[in-house]
């Protein structure tokens, strides 16, 4: 199926990351260059091969405390390259490589880089706590006008009602959902680049302080400093590439009200995107060897486990309980790099994509899933959503 | 009472009527003159029939908590915690869901499905923010009583 899908005319050719940590004593611009250069080298390309540049988010008002992408034109100038395609994106992101894949699939560029750089760990430290979303502006504009004035001052408060509703409808418990951050922490122990690597127990989780019920400290991803870059190349350049990865399918559908507080059914998120993804491939959920599911919060993993069909609606609690199914060696190893909950909030699925690429290449080191050939990766959910399947390149 | 800490809204042409009524303790949503449906937040177009002849209409009567959270984190200096935030829907106003604070009970007593009355409290920047009132604690209304009075600011 799907030989004419645009994503089949693109490959992910490189991923690269800067140093990652709670605080990295290096500017966002330097982190960006570190990641971009590493990704280009990983692809087996040279800087002069790059003719497309993109970043998430673009400039302007999207830049929040710790959003440290820099300016696209300064990065182009610093690299001394010529670009035939450029993009800064928030809306319509789907997956980080969606725009670059469209660019190379339509001949607008041959090798496009997209990057995401965060200094949210440093920003949180400097602010004495995690900055409120949008708090750099004195007034709450657009959709934030219905959130920030009433006291829903953080994404935690905005997502927590989804978790409350989910647990109410399906009877899932904190004791069950704890196994997502607990298992991901065990994976992070095998990732030298993860932010938190010391063991986390279910008891640790249950005794952690509440941030906004039912979301506790360990349900929240870790503000971090670091940059991730992804190189996307036209499929016909595969012979020039060190280790290309195929994009089997990708989709991003927003079918409900695109608003944190107006989303109609808070117990179910991501279903339209997942359905659109599976329509583009003959692969089935059982074919997935490893899953990198977006985890800004634990509940987002729950959405995707169910929407993607890895378990039935309402059954994620039972699916993750005990951790054996989602651990390395289990039927669906989940967020093998630690996810954003332990690996660091690299944001917008950039960390998830980097890990998916490494897994299907067989380059994931101590946390490698033996023989992994199909990786699922998802982004956010709700008012922006993306899902993709990446597979080992077979020419 | 002291105003609740938060970030004030940027008032737009579309939201001006809402915030002005909020200051009077009244909850306005958008009513469609063509099909009668109600929409929130106000966009100047009916989300049901896409008619453009919309006008503000006041929501009265009991609401029901669709979901909630109790925030414990002091996101801004001076923010008093914990407090409950509730997403409220109205059986008599399909299509309307409003996010606000909850008072009239302990935050831990907030629950999905509980009945609330409309109310407002002083918010940041001189605005008034929705602050729903738990019905059990509302002295004017026993369970299942008639329409709520507008909440006091």
């Amino acid at each position: 199926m799907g030989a004419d899908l645009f994503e089949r005319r693109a490959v992910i050719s490189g991923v690269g990351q800067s140093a990652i940590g709670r605080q990295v004593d290096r500017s966002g611009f330097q982190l960006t260059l570190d990641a971009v250069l590493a990704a280009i080298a990983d692809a087996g390309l040279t800087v002069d091969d790059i003719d497309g540049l993109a970043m998430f988010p673009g400039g302007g008002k999207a830049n929040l405390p710790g959003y440290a992408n820099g300016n696209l034109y300064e990065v182009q100038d610093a690299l001394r390259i010529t670009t035939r395609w450029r993009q800064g994106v928030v809306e319509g992101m789907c997956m980080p490589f969606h725009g670059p894949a469209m660019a190379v699939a339509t001949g607008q560029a041959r090798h496009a880089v997209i990057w995401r750089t965060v200094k949210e760990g440093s920003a949180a430290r400097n602010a004495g706590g995690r900055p409120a979303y949008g708090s750099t502006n004195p007034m709450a504009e657009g959709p934030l006008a219905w959130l920030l004035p009433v006291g829903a001052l953080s994404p935690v408060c905005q997502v927590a009602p989804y978790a409350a509703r989910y647990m109410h409808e399906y009877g899932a418990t904190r004791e069950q959902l704890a196994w997502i951050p607990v298992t991901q922490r065990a994976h992070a122990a095998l990732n030298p680049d993860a932010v938190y690597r010391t063991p986390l127990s279910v008891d640790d989780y249950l005794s952690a302080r509440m941030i906004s019920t039912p979301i506790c400290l360990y349900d929240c991803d870790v503000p971090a400093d670091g940059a991730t870059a992804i190189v996307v190349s036209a499929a016909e350049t595969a012979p020039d590439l060190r280790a290309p990865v195929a994009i089997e399918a990708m989709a991003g559908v927003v079918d409900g009200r695109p608003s944190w507080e107006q989303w109609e059914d808070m117990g179910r998120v991501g279903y339209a995107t997942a359905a659109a993804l599976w329509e583009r491939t003959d692969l089935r959920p059982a074919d997935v060897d490893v899953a990198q599911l977006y985890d800004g919060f634990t509940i987002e993993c729950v959405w995707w486990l169910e929407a993607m069909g890895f378990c039935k609606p309402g059954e994620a609690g039972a699916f993750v309980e005990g951790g054996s199914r989602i651990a390395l060696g289990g039927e669906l190893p989940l967020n093998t790099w630690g996810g954003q909950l332990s690996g660091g909030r690299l944001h917008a699925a950039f960390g998830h994509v980097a890990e998916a690429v490494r897994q299907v290449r067989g380059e994931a080191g101590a946390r490698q899933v033996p023989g992994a050939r199909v990786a699922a990766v998802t982004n956010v959910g709700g008012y922006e959503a993306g899902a993709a399947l990446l597979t080992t390149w077979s020419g | 009472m002291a105003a609740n800490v938060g970030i004030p809204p940027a008032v737009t042409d579309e939201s001006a009527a809402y915030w002005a009524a909020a200051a009077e303790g009244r909850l306005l949503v958008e009513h469609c003159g063509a099909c009668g449906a109600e929409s929130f937040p106000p966009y100047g177009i009916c989300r049901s029939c896409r008619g453009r002849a919309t006008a503000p209409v006041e929501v009265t009567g009991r609401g029901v908590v669709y979901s909630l959270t109790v925030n414990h984190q002091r996101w801004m200096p001076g923010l008093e915690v914990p407090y409950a935030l509730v997403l409220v829907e109205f059986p008599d106003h399909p299509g309307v869901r409003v996010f606000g604070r909850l008072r009239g009970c302990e935050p831990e007593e907030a629950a999905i499905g509980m009945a609330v009355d409309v109310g407002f409290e002083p918010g940041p920047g001189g605005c008034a923010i929705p602050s729903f009132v738990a019905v059990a604690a509302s002295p004017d209304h026993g369970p299942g009583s008639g329409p709520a009075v507008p909440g006091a600011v």
Side-chain angles (χ1 to χ4, degrees):
Chain A
M1 179 199 281
D4 59 341
L5 297 178
F6 84 89
E7 59 266 42
R8 305 287 173 84
R9 298 197 290 275
V11 297
I12 297 181
S13 51
V15 293
Q17 292 177 304
S18 70
I20 295 164
R22 274 292 266 172
Q23 282 99 30
V24 177
D25 186 18
R26 197 156 165 74
S27 75
F29 196 84
Q30 296 309 308
L31 295 177
T32 297
L33 293 177
D34 293 346
V36 168
L37 293 172
I40 295 168
D42 181 65
L45 298 169
T46 69
V47 173
D48 288 325
D49 291 320
I50 302 303
D51 59 357
L53 281 185
M55 64 183 198
F56 173 90
K61 289 185 176 178
N63 284 288
L64 298 172
Y67 280 26
N69 273 359
N71 177 287
L72 185 145
Y73 303 103
E74 288 185 314
V75 171
Q76 171 163 344
D77 195 35
L79 295 175
R80 190 170 48 79
I81 61 176
T82 298
T83 60
R84 301 171 201 287
W85 177 84
R86 296 156 303 283
Q87 184 182 58
V89 61
V90 179
E91 299 88 347
M93 186 195 194
C94 180
M95 296 302 300
F97 48 85
H98 190 149
M102 289 196 294
V104 301
T106 54
Q108 299 175 73
R110 283 170 68 78
H111 304 286
V113 180
I114 183 164
W115 73 87
R116 171 82 180 107
T117 304
V118 287
K119 291 277 286 185
E120 291 186 305
S122 290
R125 178 189 58 186
N126 297 340
R130 192 170 182 174
Y133 186 71
S135 64
T136 51
N137 293 331
M139 308 288 274
E141 298 182 2
L144 294 176
W146 310 109
L147 297 167
L148 306 186
V150 301
L153 288 159
S154 159
V156 188
C157 311
Q158 296 156 21
V159 172
Y162 289 69
R165 186 75 199 184
Y166 175 85
M167 294 167 78
H168 172 81
E169 289 191 9
Y170 296 117
T173 65
R174 295 188 64 233
E175 286 78 2
Q176 291 177 316
L177 301 185
W179 286 96
I180 292 175
V182 165
T183 306
Q184 291 187 193
R185 179 64 65 85
H187 295 164
L190 302 173
N191 174 10
D193 295 323
V195 174
Y196 287 134
R197 304 181 63 201
T198 55
L200 180 73
S201 70
V202 171
D203 284 343
D204 293 335
Y205 174 93
L206 293 174
S207 59
R209 65 189 173 92
M210 275 293 166
I211 306 298
S212 200
T213 63
I215 292 181
C216 74
L217 180 67
Y218 295 121
D219 289 316
C220 302
D221 58 5
V222 183
D225 292 358
T228 304
I230 302 163
V231 187
V232 181
S233 299
E236 66 263 25
T237 69
D240 305 330
L241 303 170
R242 185 185 69 81
V245 165
I247 306 170
E248 168 70 15
M250 64 191 305
V253 180
V254 176
D255 64 331
R257 294 192 67 178
S259 152
W260 282 123
E261 78 279 13
Q262 298 295 344
W263 182 265
E264 294 93 333
D265 186 351
M266 290 190 171
R268 295 166 58 91
V269 178
Y271 283 78
T273 292
L277 178 76
W278 295 118
E279 285 174 6
R280 295 171 81 83
T281 177
D282 291 326
L283 296 177
R284 297 293 94 189
D287 297 318
V288 173
D289 299 311
V290 62
Q292 313 298 335
L293 305 183
Y294 191 75
D295 61 336
F297 300 101
T298 300
I299 190 67
E300 295 180 294
C301 266
V302 170
W303 299 342
W304 287 116
L305 282 169
E306 298 183 0
M308 290 284 282
F310 297 126
C311 62
K312 290 178 180 171
E315 295 187 356
F319 185 81
V320 304
E321 189 167 10
S324 61
R325 289 190 184 87
I326 58 173
L328 286 165
E331 65 189 74
L332 187 75
L334 174 66
N335 288 333
T336 44
W337 59 294
Q340 292 191 171
L341 297 177
S342 286
R345 177 179 158 79
L346 303 178
H347 201 208
F350 278 75
H352 300 80
V353 172
E355 178 71 3
V357 166
R358 289 167 178 153
Q359 286 285 349
V360 299
R361 280 174 170 172
E363 296 179 350
R367 60 189 191 275
Q368 177 67 46
V369 174
R373 296 185 59 83
V374 179
V377 57
T378 65
N379 192 17
V380 197
Y383 70 72
E384 185 57 67
L389 297 174
L390 304 184
T391 59
T392 302
W393 180 251
S394 56
Chain B
M1 66 177 291
N4 287 295
V5 170
I7 296 175
V11 178
T12 65
D13 285 353
E14 286 73 22
S15 68
Y18 170 87
W19 291 111
E24 301 169 353
R26 297 186 301 122
L27 174 60
L28 293 192
V29 301
E30 213 164 41
H31 178 263
C32 176
C35 78
E38 293 172 347
S39 300
F40 187 81
Y43 291 129
I45 186 169
C46 173
R47 293 193 66 259
S48 183
C49 75
R50 302 188 178 114
R52 303 300 303 278
T54 60
V57 64
E58 183 173 352
V59 168
T60 58
R62 289 276 151 81
V64 177
V65 173
Y66 172 76
S67 195
L68 64 100
T69 185
V70 179
N71 177 60
H72 291 264
Q73 181 81 6
R74 189 169 284 115
W75 303 104
M76 296 175 66
L79 184 69
E80 290 184 23
V81 294
Y83 56 87
L85 291 164
V86 287
L87 291 162
V88 176
E89 297 182 336
F90 298 87
D92 297 334
H93 301 269
V96 173
R97 179 192 287 172
V98 179
F99 208 5
R101 292 193 179 219
L102 179 72
R103 60 192 155 112
C105 68
E106 293 301 312
E108 297 72 25
E109 294 169 357
I112 289 173
M114 74 187 293
V116 297
D117 286 332
V118 172
F120 288 84
E121 283 186 313
C127 79
I129 57 170
S131 178
F132 296 96
V133 184
V135 166
S138 178
D140 297 336
H141 308 289
S145 70
V149 295
V153 170

